Amino acid sequence: MGPGKRLCLGLGVTVALAAQQGIAPDEFRARSGPYVPPPPPNTLRTEVKLVEVPVVVRDGKGRAIAGLKQSDFQVFDLGKEQVITTFSVENLPPAAAPAARAPEASSAQPAAARPAPPAEAQHSRFIALCLDNLSTPFADLRYTKTAAEKFVRTGLAPGDRVAVVTTAWSQPTITFTDEVPKLVESIEKVTPQQRFSDESSQCPRITGYQAYLITNHLDPDTLEGVAQEDMGCKRIGHDQAVQEVTSLANMIWEHSLSNSRNALYSIEGVVNSLGKLPGRRMLLLASSGFLSGNLEYALDELTTKALHAEVVINALDSKGLYTLTPGRPIDAPPVRSRSPRTQIAEASIQSRQESAKDDGMAVLALGTGGAFYHNSNDLDKGFHELGTIPDVVYVLGFSPSDAKPDGRYHALKVKLAAGRHYSLQSRMGYTAPSKTPPVEQRQPSKLDTEAMATDTLAEVPVSLSWAPGQPENGNPTLTAVVHLDVKRLKFDTSADRRALKLKFIMAVLNASGAFIAGRQGEIELDLKQASFDTLAGQGMNVLLPLQAPPGTYTLRGVVQESLEGKISASSLPVELR
């Protein structure tokens, strides 16, 4: 069903469209934003009974040291030494060239269905080259892609199989190959997919990190500073500026947090795929960094999952140096992911690895025995250094002696016994569980549950359709169209107005029901009689744009009205080319 002559509310341009139909601006309000389904209740809340700490020990030339024993290590939790209760050594043999060209491996093939791999396959490497096109600006991504192409051309060893993946979409099938032209072609196709800007482009300018501080009431000075800027831009009073800044910060932080959730969701899917494959497995993440505040539990869960799947995560900071360098343009401001619990020093003085205790990339890398390459513009060198998996990883385990459910971040420190002077690379810390659910742990609503279901409900007089849109950044788009039968909607009637609030969720799901992309929206109607009469005769269409890679999907649409909580839900097949 197309828009026809009905009132069409594309939630980003509602005012202009409604005005053309003679509907006054005070008769409706509309907004939309990203949608990512919340995790099942308590999936990220785990008791800290055993903390596993992977450690890589290197000599002065960067070579991994073998032959160490449990007695050679000490582990400190918040400065207090812990008793190491478990100790294991992962000796990873060097990659060996197979006798014949191995077929391409697909992570979609169930592990039980694959024949036992030949001996040489056990020495092969599977590398998921994950380019973060959600949080990486255009200029950074361009430099990263150039370095990544050079890496696959010159940095792979015989037996290596590589897959190019991104954070913008969760790939249901990941194919690994050693054919360099295919890999280069895949890298070239990657384009920025920033679903939201992490900062405002107008005055006052608020970065994602500033929005995090303001929204979570962590730094009154930041709020005051931005409010002063707003007062200077608009010549308004202090109270009004504080209110405007707080509202804008809430919106920016919501968008930044959604970007981070999407990135972690995609990375988790890649880790799950890698865990099904034989041989040595590595995820090489290249990103300009993503905010991880309020996502500590998700990071801990993902780190543990990768560790148990024996997937090493190496991370490369695509932003390069924190300060501008000739010949290396940097678009985004030099604000990095960090936690209020961490004292952040100037990056030119202090290593980000030491200071950014809540940096998502550093946590994932060092928590899985990987490396974190940062604060350098030499991305070619970064890919070269990260393209190797350490030959020996020691995994230390301990049960915290003071495991209080206080949600506190526990910094870890690993030391070698006296007399040993090697460099160490180890997990930076973990987050203790909390007595109360963290912000991230909201319970799924009925609307969330129906968005991931397959049934059909018809409690609200609406119908769902879709139309293809113009491609954006190399990927196809679609517009979900929700037609409202206004004359059959139940309004709250008072005086000369008819009021109603409707919530929408549109989700794109793959063949197995996994979430690919989504958008949510909300409209509030407060119609005068004349406007109601007009819409009752022609209906109203609500348009929500969505984007996904080419493929066959299911479009799931859910609508809920506010008066009685009734819901309509339906699904349609979608093919994007």
Side-chain angles (χ1 to χ4, degrees):
M1 178 184 301
K5 296 183 179 179
R6 303 180 181 92
L7 172 61
C8 298
L9 295 182
L11 291 185
V13 290
T14 51
V15 175
L17 288 172
Q20 293 175 8
Q21 298 289 330
I23 308 298
D26 68 336
E27 294 184 77
F28 72 92
R29 285 182 292 179
R31 61 180 180 179
S32 69
Y35 176 75
V36 177
N42 301 322
T43 55
L44 302 179
R45 300 191 66 199
T46 56
E47 297 296 327
V48 180
K49 296 180 180 179
L50 178 69
V51 177
E52 294 177 298
V53 185
V55 183
V56 178
V57 184
R58 302 182 188 274
D59 63 15
K61 296 183 178 180
R63 295 172 299 195
I65 300 299
L68 299 180
K69 301 178 182 179
Q70 178 175 329
S71 58
D72 292 319
F73 295 92
Q74 292 176 291
V75 178
F76 297 84
D77 183 343
L78 292 177
K80 182 177 181 181
E81 185 171 2
Q82 304 293 313
V83 177
I84 299 174
T85 56
T86 63
F87 179 80
S88 61
V89 182
E90 296 181 5
N91 291 288
L92 304 174
R101 185 184 186 86
E104 295 184 1
S106 173
S107 64
Q109 186 181 10
R114 290 193 300 270
E120 65 268 14
Q122 298 288 358
H123 295 174
S124 298
R125 292 196 308 167
F126 291 95
I127 303 173
L129 180 55
C130 184
L131 304 179
D132 182 7
N133 57 341
L134 262 182
S135 305
T136 305
F138 175 81
D140 290 348
L141 187 60
R142 178 161 55 90
Y143 282 99
T144 302
K145 288 168 57 178
T146 299
E149 290 177 11
K150 183 175 180 179
F151 168 67
V152 299
R153 285 192 177 105
T154 64
L156 301 181
D160 285 351
R161 300 290 182 271
V162 181
V164 178
V165 297
T166 69
T167 56
W169 314 115
S170 181
Q171 294 85 357
T173 301
I174 301 176
T175 300
F176 293 81
T177 181
D178 63 352
E179 296 186 26
V180 173
K182 287 185 177 181
L183 294 172
V184 171
E185 181 182 2
S186 297
I187 293 171
E188 290 177 347
K189 289 181 178 179
V190 176
T191 55
Q193 300 288 326
Q194 285 186 289
R195 297 177 185 174
F196 328 99
S197 173
D198 66 352
E199 59 189 73
S200 64
S201 58
Q202 300 177 348
C203 184
R205 191 182 192 196
I206 304 178
T207 67
Y209 180 62
Q210 288 175 318
Y212 166 64
L213 295 178
I214 294 171
T215 301
N216 292 277
H217 310 290
L218 299 172
D219 187 357
D221 290 340
T222 297
L223 173 59
E224 180 63 25
V226 179
Q228 291 292 334
E229 181 183 353
D230 194 32
M231 292 169 62
C233 295
K234 302 175 182 177
R235 300 184 181 278
I236 58 177
H238 182 269
D239 291 347
Q240 182 180 350
V242 168
Q243 183 177 0
E244 286 189 4
V245 167
T246 301
S247 177
L248 181 59
N250 288 339
M251 180 184 68
I252 293 173
W253 172 234
E254 179 184 348
H255 291 175
S256 298
L257 191 61
S258 181
N259 269 343
S260 297
R261 287 196 198 102
N262 277 310
L264 292 178
Y265 185 85
S266 297
I267 294 170
E268 180 181 10
V270 177
V271 168
N272 291 337
S273 297
L274 280 169
K276 302 173 184 177
L277 299 172
R280 306 172 71 188
R281 304 177 290 275
M282 177 178 70
L283 190 155
L284 205 171
L285 172 64
S287 170
S288 288
F290 50 86
L291 289 163
S292 56
N294 293 359
L295 293 175
E296 292 94 341
Y297 283 87
L299 282 168
D300 281 352
E301 184 81 359
L302 181 52
T303 299
T304 301
K305 179 173 292 187
L307 188 61
H308 288 175
E310 298 180 356
V311 174
V312 173
I313 299 178
N314 286 333
L316 179 145
D317 183 357
S318 297
K319 195 180 295 297
L321 288 174
Y322 283 65
T323 55
L324 290 174
T325 302
R328 175 71 167 100
I330 297 179
D331 292 345
V335 177
R336 313 303 276 165
S337 307
R338 50 203 191 260
S339 166
R341 65 171 76 87
T342 304
Q343 298 300 317
I344 302 298
E346 290 295 328
S348 58
I349 301 174
Q350 185 176 9
S351 165
R352 171 169 154 181
Q353 178 172 324
E354 291 298 324
S355 63
K357 296 295 192 245
D358 242 0
D359 184 285
M361 292 195 295
V363 169
L364 293 174
L366 302 182
T368 60
F372 179 38
Y373 185 88
H374 60 288
N375 205 21
S376 173
N377 289 333
D378 193 347
L379 301 187
D380 291 342
K381 180 182 178 182
F383 273 105
H384 177 74
E385 291 186 3
L386 298 179
T388 60
I389 297 176
D391 295 331
V392 181
V393 178
Y394 302 92
V395 182
L396 319 178
F398 70 93
S399 298
S401 58
D402 188 21
K404 297 179 180 179
D406 53 8
R408 186 180 181 186
Y409 178 82
H410 288 239
L412 296 175
K413 181 72 174 180
V414 178
K415 295 182 178 179
L416 287 176
R420 296 191 178 274
H421 303 289
Y422 300 120
S423 64
L424 294 180
Q425 171 190 316
S426 63
R427 184 174 182 176
M428 295 187 299
Y430 68 95
T431 302
S434 175
K435 290 181 180 179
T436 58
V439 175
E440 178 66 8
Q441 295 299 300
R442 72 176 179 87
Q443 295 292 322
S445 66
K446 186 177 180 181
L447 206 63
D448 293 317
T449 301
E450 282 299 329
M452 301 302 294
T454 58
D455 60 337
T456 299
L457 298 176
E459 299 175 350
V460 183
V462 300
S463 59
L464 175 67
S465 62
W466 69 277
Q470 294 296 321
E472 294 182 7
N473 298 318
N475 280 311
T477 64
L478 66 90
T479 299
V481 183
V482 181
H483 175 64
L484 307 178
D485 188 348
V486 176
K487 66 178 178 296
R488 294 174 54 207
L489 289 173
K490 186 174 181 180
F491 288 86
D492 181 12
T493 304
S494 60
D496 62 340
R497 299 273 184 156
R498 295 174 185 258
L500 178 64
K501 180 188 294 185
L502 294 165
K503 293 182 178 180
F504 307 83
I505 291 179
M506 297 294 133
V508 177
L509 311 176
N510 68 11
S512 60
F515 176 83
I516 300 297
R519 195 160 187 84
Q520 59 186 342
E522 179 179 289
I523 63 172
E524 295 183 48
L525 300 175
D526 194 21
L527 301 175
K528 298 176 183 177
Q529 186 62 44
S531 298
F532 172 77
D533 292 341
T534 297
L535 294 178
Q538 65 186 26
M540 174 188 295
N541 284 337
V542 177
L543 314 179
L544 292 102
L546 292 160
Q547 188 177 27
T552 301
Y553 304 102
T554 295
L555 174 64
R556 179 71 174 172
V558 186
V559 182
Q560 183 176 38
E561 55 87 24
S562 60
L563 290 180
E564 300 176 348
K566 292 182 177 181
I567 290 179
S568 283
S570 59
S571 304
L572 292 174
V574 170
E575 185 170 356
L576 299 179
R577 299 181 181 277

